[in-house]
Amino acid sequence: MALAYAPALESTPVRIAARYDHFIGGRWVPSSSGQTFATVNPATEEELAQVAVGTPEDVERAVAAAREAYERYWRPMRPADRAKFVYRIARAITERSRELAVLETMDGGKPIKESRDFDVVQAAAHFFYYAGWADKLRYAIHGSEHPEPVGVVGSIIPWNFPLLMAAWKIAPAIACGNTIVLKPAETTPLTALLLAEICEEAELPPGVVNILTGDGRTGAALVAHPGIDKIAFTGSTEVGKIIQKTVAGTRKRMTLELGGKAANIVFADAPLDQAIEGVVTGIYFNQGHVCCAGSRLLVQESVHDEVVDKLKARIETLRLGDPLDKNTDIGAINSAAQHAKISELVQSGVAEGAVLYQQSCALPARGFFHRASFFTGVSQSHRIAREEIFGPVLSIMTFRTADEAIEKANNTPYGLSAGVWTDKGSKSMYVAQRLQAGVVWCSTFNQFDPSSPFGGYRESGFGREGGVAGLHPYLSV
Ligand code: NAI
Ligand code: MG
């Protein structure tokens, strides 16, 4: 008999209010329409809280508050003093890390071990990193002694890394002296609102950070607002295109971090057990809700069967279930809509003739769950090889030579990330240099650091976040 893991539930040291307002100009402000919407826990389908619907009037107020804070407090402040506030936020995230991790998991469905060990840790690290830059900006751009902030930033973020994406947007923006209006995704607004509470406790001047909740309509109103100097968006390529059209012809700056369909390339000479771990992290981390997920596995033909056998065995050991259980590897799919999208694409893969393998575990009775899955016999033209699934579903294809692997890897409209697994350093470099992707991981996958820039090519968007490069969109020279 196989040994079973006893449940190891994380305690829930977080108080969730019944209703949340917007955070505008340092105050908690209800929607001008009085309307709210529900955010649910996708693992239980229970409502967690009601959240304010952001109307065009709310956008107006938030942008006005951000403008006032920019002119009055933030831009005139000594950079070293600004840094102190950013450090305070970073420290408070660390101090309240358990609360943030639990709330992130409850609102979005990701396993507690990931929110605890990745999301919250990385979010704090971003604030620490950019706090350090605040008084050193003259070294950020060659030939520019006095770079200036750009003004009021409008940011729209997705639901896959809610707190971390808020940190990616807010930390560099405010460290450079800008103020910001941030709109979290409608299914995961709660950690951004807790971050607003942290900003309040850190006594950040009112209006420097404003959090406005709502759906795509609130986002669209923010993008269109004439008082915004720069848009920073992370989300689907489809919405990225709409935003680009709205912004065209205005003086607004813009960075877009969009979708991906990354190739993870495994050569026959790679240490296969290690590569399998990288493949698993690449596609099943965060239920595959990862823009840089290694969702296309390119395996050298001679080891295809061995890799598939190893992967079949490995996915059986992944524990799917309650995201608050510290043993859980695969949590809940973020929403019913995303679950439906994944299921539809999986059905298309079967209909187009690929072969589906899934872990055999039972699914919880409630909540949105999807088994870790992969397809063999996938060809380049299949929808599962071309479209972003954004779920725990891997498409496996083969190649014979390095050049064929490169050609197949680059045969996509996207270009966010890629992975290469080989024992040979020279081969690794040869392939990495030819992959058209913003990030290429060699013998690892999904590694992040605030000092390392991240961003895409082509339909994966443009602009870099992280590192020195991540300061540039927030500075004018
Ligand atoms: P989405 O792009 O619609 O949502 C992302 C954010 O944009 C949310 O805050 C949303 O409220 C906002 N938004 C929606 N329409 C807008 C508009 N017209 N103007 C301004 N803001 C708008 O993504 P969605 O529908 O949640 O997911 C659909 C697919 O997009 C996923 O299945 C996945 O393939 C991809 N996606 C990619 C992400 C990434 O990190 N690259 C993140 C989320 C989704
Ligand atoms: Mg939710």
Side-chain angles (χ1 to χ4, degrees), residues 221-300:
L222 184 59
V223 171
H225 196 287
I228 296 286
D229 298 298
K230 177 198 154 44
I231 297 289
F233 173 75
T234 299
S236 63
T237 296
E238 194 190 348
V239 173
K241 286 178 183 173
I242 296 172
I243 291 177
Q244 213 168 358
K245 280 187 194 136
T246 309
V247 168
T250 72
R251 55 175 186 82
K252 285 177 200 168
R253 296 167 165 234
M254 176 174 47
T255 45
L256 300 176
E257 201 267 272
L258 310 174
K261 192 78 186 173
N264 205 355
I265 303 172
V266 176
F267 283 94
D269 61 14
L272 291 186
D273 287 324
Q274 272 165 261
I276 291 291
E277 291 311 304
V279 169
V280 166
T281 316
I283 187 64
Y284 303 123
F285 175 61
N286 200 29
Q287 295 76 243
H289 301 328
V290 181
C291 47
C292 54
S295 52
R296 290 183 296 147
L297 178 62
L298 300 179
V299 190
Q300 200 154 21

Side-chain angles (χ1 to χ4, degrees), residues 344-417:
E344 192 272 323
L345 273 157
V346 166
Q347 277 160 24
S348 85
V350 174
E352 289 188 307
V355 181
L356 175 65
Y357 296 92
Q358 295 190 309
Q359 60 180 150
S360 59
C361 66
L363 295 184
R366 298 206 64 186
F368 317 124
F369 288 90
H370 197 283
R371 291 186 181 88
S373 311
F374 68 86
F375 280 102
T376 59
V378 179
S379 78
Q380 289 279 3
S381 61
H382 288 166
R383 281 182 66 203
I384 53 168
R386 306 207 64 77
E387 295 179 30
E388 188 176 43
I389 301 177
F390 228 61
V393 184
L394 176 70
S395 298
I396 305 183
M397 289 167 278
T398 58
F399 68 89
R400 288 183 183 175
T401 65
D403 288 334
E404 188 189 342
I406 294 163
E407 199 182 310
K408 284 188 165 163
N410 290 338
N411 182 0
T412 167
Y414 294 112
L416 196 52
S417 67

Side-chain angles (χ1 to χ4, degrees), residues 8-355:
L9 290 184
E10 180 61 271
S11 58
T12 47
V14 55
R15 256 179 301 130
I16 301 178
R19 209 192 85 182
Y20 287 88
D21 294 335
H22 304 304
F23 183 66
I24 298 176
R27 296 215 173 84
W28 295 92
V29 183
S31 164
S32 68
S33 68
Q35 283 180 321
T36 57
F37 64 97
T39 184
V40 304
N41 178 339
T44 62
E45 301 178 50
E46 280 160 11
E47 179 180 317
L48 291 170
Q50 287 285 326
V51 182
V53 171
T55 63
E57 296 83 77
D58 297 334
V59 170
E60 184 63 50
R61 290 167 84 169
V63 174
R67 176 64 57 190
E68 195 190 337
Y70 178 69
E71 302 294 352
R72 220 166 127 187
Y73 310 112
W74 205 239
R75 181 184 173 159
M77 192 182 285
R78 261 179 11 116
D81 291 332
R82 255 188 240 140
K84 288 183 199 164
F85 284 104
V86 187
Y87 275 122
R88 256 191 215 172
I89 297 171
R91 283 197 303 271
I93 291 173
T94 314
E95 281 157 18
R96 298 181 74 170
S97 59
R98 232 158 70 87
E99 209 181 326
L100 283 162
V102 168
L103 192 59
E104 193 75 312
T105 284
M106 291 176 77
D107 202 14
K110 65 174 70 203
I112 188 70
K113 71 173 179 192
E114 291 180 7
S115 45
R116 181 195 62 199
D117 299 345
F118 181 78
D119 296 71
V120 177
V121 177
Q122 286 285 324
H126 256 80
F127 278 100
F128 276 118
Y129 176 80
Y130 281 113
W133 269 111
D135 60 351
K136 302 170 195 74
L137 296 172
R138 85 189 84 134
Y139 306 111
I141 301 177
H142 286 295
S144 171
E145 286 280 303
H146 302 287
E148 290 284 321
V150 299
V152 175
V153 176
S155 278
I156 296 157
I157 56 170
W159 39 263
N160 51 345
F161 295 95
L163 177 71
L164 183 55
M165 287 304 107
W168 278 31
K169 305 301 183 215
I170 295 172
I174 67 173
C176 290
N178 306 281
T179 58
I180 185 166
V181 179
L182 178 114
K183 192 202 81 65
E186 51 271 41
T187 57
T188 54
L190 297 183
T191 46
L193 292 166
L194 185 48
L195 188 59
E197 225 179 281
I198 285 173
C199 291
E200 212 179 2
E201 281 170 17
E203 294 175 350
L204 191 69
V208 173
V209 170
N210 305 276
I211 310 286
L212 199 63
T213 49
D215 62 13
R217 286 165 292 185
T218 311
L222 184 59
V223 171
H225 196 287
I228 296 286
D229 298 298
K230 177 198 154 44
I231 297 289
F233 173 75
T234 299
S236 63
T237 296
E238 194 190 348
V239 173
K241 286 178 183 173
I242 296 172
I243 291 177
Q244 213 168 358
K245 280 187 194 136
T246 309
V247 168
T250 72
R251 55 175 186 82
K252 285 177 200 168
R253 296 167 165 234
M254 176 174 47
T255 45
L256 300 176
E257 201 267 272
L258 310 174
K261 192 78 186 173
N264 205 355
I265 303 172
V266 176
F267 283 94
D269 61 14
L272 291 186
D273 287 324
Q274 272 165 261
I276 291 291
E277 291 311 304
V279 169
V280 166
T281 316
I283 187 64
Y284 303 123
F285 175 61
N286 200 29
Q287 295 76 243
H289 301 328
V290 181
C291 47
C292 54
S295 52
R296 290 183 296 147
L297 178 62
L298 300 179
V299 190
Q300 200 154 21
E301 204 175 79
S302 59
V303 290
H304 172 268
D305 293 353
E306 192 182 346
V307 166
V308 167
D309 285 344
K310 282 181 189 289
L311 197 57
K312 269 188 215 165
R314 183 65 178 87
I315 63 172
E316 282 299 341
T317 68
L318 294 174
R319 288 183 296 276
L320 178 152
D322 186 349
L324 279 173
D325 190 322
K326 286 173 260 185
N327 292 323
T328 293
D329 298 305
I330 303 207
I333 300 302
N334 185 265
S335 64
Q338 188 59 26
H339 190 274
K341 186 190 160 188
I342 296 167
S343 306
E344 192 272 323
L345 273 157
V346 166
Q347 277 160 24
S348 85
V350 174
E352 289 188 307
V355 181

